[in-house]
Amino acid sequence: MKLHTTLRAASAMTLTLGVGLFTFAGSASATSSKGSQDQEHAVFLETDAASGNAVLSYHRATDGTISFAGSFSTGGNGATASGATADPLASQGGLTLVNDNRELIATNPGSDTLSVFSVDGTRLDLVQQISSQGLFPDSVASYGKYVTVVNAGGAGSVAEFTIKDGRLALLPDQVRSLGLTNTTPPDFHHSAGQVGYSPDGQHLVITTKLSTNAYDVFSVGDHGTLGAAPVVTPAVNALPFAFVFDAAGNVVAAEASNSSVTTYRLNGNGTLTSLGTVSDGAAALCWISTANGYFFGSNAGSASLSSFTENAVGAPQLVNAVAASTHAGTTDSVVSPDAKYLYVESGGAGTVDVFAVSATGSLSPIETVFNVPPASEGIAAS
């Protein structure tokens, strides 16, 4: 296991503390000295700084290790959900690559905007900042040319856009209220946790956490038209937070109240049918990612990752309650596109832990990158 605090990582912290000084597109506080061929793959982190949000860029090497490459201002401000400590967004998907990784979209909950960057390896160029059409945007999802943001403040809402020539355009009449009752910033236990398109693009799924302890599912029709109102299915366990989809298109969800993973079949009419649930016995399993048919839950209160798989009918099965140890305040995670490496943020400690993922779902620690600004949340990998 390689543990290091590199000069580049230290530079990330220093530059981020001064992120308010960075202004517009293409201004990077540092650039990688590696050749262009080595810059094809990257890991991106969002700082969520209220004084000026930024995206930190890291070169991702072929062995999975990462090295700091630059800091890029979003032009907007971050914010922290009420009561949150290690997870200011209290969501999954706050930083999202779209359009075959050609663009990166960052949420600015302190400005109620989205920032769109063009992506060239580890280099980002800010091309647009656009209203999120609501309060406290905290999660973004895409399917083809469609991009949707969930706004977690106030009554909550989703807004759907198209992306063309690297820019977002709001689809006419495609903003839908979630009918929640939240403050702004929202309470981190009651805000909407994630938005995501089903693999076939026909449904849009949102978690509401403790606001209604449910999954809201909008139909997605021709030309991206959202249903007038969501189909609401109560969660098996309280505090449904985040989710991914399995190979069959089932929802695999992290439900934090008793640190569980629950799977649901997504039916054509937008209802969800529970296939099973299992707890890892840890504290606050909130975030989840997937690779090679395995699922990895981040336990924010236990500084650990747990691993799961599914049986023949899609019910979740606990593989290892402690698949890996991390650092304080374990939050969001992302798997590299080749499914070989898992990158995990620990917002309480200001670290990123890197693991190799085997074909059998075991995790092997590779390195820990220190000096990430504490309470950063939002991660993406190309």
Side-chain angles (χ1 to χ4, degrees):
M1 179 178 181
K2 177 185 174 186
L3 300 177
H4 68 244
T5 306
T6 65
L7 290 175
R8 286 179 177 174
S11 297
M13 180 63 167
T14 302
L15 291 164
T16 302
L17 291 174
V19 72
L21 299 176
F22 303 121
T23 53
F24 288 100
S27 62
S29 56
T31 55
S32 174
S33 60
K34 298 177 182 291
S36 59
Q37 183 175 0
D38 287 340
Q39 293 183 14
E40 291 180 358
H41 303 294
V43 170
F44 303 106
L45 307 177
E46 187 170 12
T47 68
D48 306 302
S51 59
N53 196 11
V55 176
L56 305 183
S57 174
Y58 294 80
H59 167 75
R60 183 170 68 84
T62 56
D63 63 358
T65 58
I66 60 175
S67 55
F68 181 68
S71 177
F72 301 84
S73 171
T74 69
N77 295 326
T80 298
S82 178
T85 53
D87 56 330
L89 295 176
S91 69
Q92 183 163 289
L95 186 67
T96 304
L97 284 158
V98 303
N99 197 22
D100 294 326
N101 294 344
R102 288 193 280 273
E103 284 85 36
L104 180 73
I105 300 178
T107 52
N108 298 306
S111 303
D112 301 327
T113 61
L114 303 175
S115 293
V116 183
F117 294 91
S118 65
V119 180
D120 181 10
T122 59
R123 180 176 177 80
L124 301 176
D125 287 295
L126 180 62
V127 297
Q128 183 186 26
Q129 188 179 176
I130 187 171
S131 170
S132 69
Q133 303 296 312
L135 304 172
F136 203 92
D138 70 356
S139 180
V140 174
S142 70
Y143 180 83
K145 66 179 181 179
Y146 300 114
V147 174
T148 293
V149 59
V150 65
N151 296 291
S157 66
V158 291
E160 191 172 40
F161 303 78
T162 57
I163 188 160
K164 182 178 180 181
D165 298 327
R167 300 177 69 87
L168 293 176
L170 180 67
L171 276 170
D173 303 318
Q174 297 308 307
V175 179
R176 300 288 186 269
S177 174
L178 299 178
L180 308 179
T181 304
N182 285 323
T183 56
T184 304
D187 175 76
F188 79 120
H189 276 154
H190 291 78
S191 58
Q194 185 184 353
V195 63
Y197 286 90
S198 59
D200 61 8
Q202 295 182 9
H203 295 94
L204 190 70
V205 182
I206 302 101
T207 57
T208 65
K209 291 193 274 187
L210 291 180
S211 281
T212 62
N213 283 316
Y215 299 88
D216 286 7
V217 180
F218 287 91
S219 61
V220 183
D222 295 339
H223 311 296
T225 303
L226 299 176
V231 176
V232 179
T233 299
V236 169
N237 305 288
L239 221 165
F241 193 107
F243 59 90
V244 292
F245 291 94
D246 68 11
N250 298 317
V251 176
V252 183
E255 296 175 339
S257 63
N258 60 349
S259 211
S260 294
V261 166
T262 304
T263 55
Y264 299 89
R265 183 174 62 249
L266 177 54
N267 303 308
N269 63 0
T271 59
L272 298 175
T273 301
S274 174
L275 302 175
T277 187
V278 63
S279 174
D280 65 1
L285 194 163
C286 295
W287 296 264
I288 190 166
S289 55
T290 181
N292 304 326
Y294 292 86
F295 306 92
F296 305 100
S298 294
N299 299 301
S302 299
S304 67
L305 301 173
S306 51
S307 60
F308 303 81
T309 189
E310 295 174 308
N311 65 16
V313 297
Q317 307 288 299
L318 179 64
V319 176
N320 195 334
V322 184
S325 295
T326 52
H327 288 78
T330 308
T331 60
D332 214 348
S333 66
V334 68
V335 173
S336 60
D338 60 9
K340 291 182 178 180
Y341 303 104
L342 175 66
Y343 299 86
V344 184
E345 293 180 284
S346 288
T351 62
V352 175
D353 290 306
V354 184
F355 301 92
V357 183
S358 77
T360 58
S362 63
L363 299 177
S364 301
I366 294 177
E367 70 173 347
T368 292
V369 176
F370 295 90
N371 292 324
V372 175
S376 296
E377 186 181 10
I379 187 168
S382 66

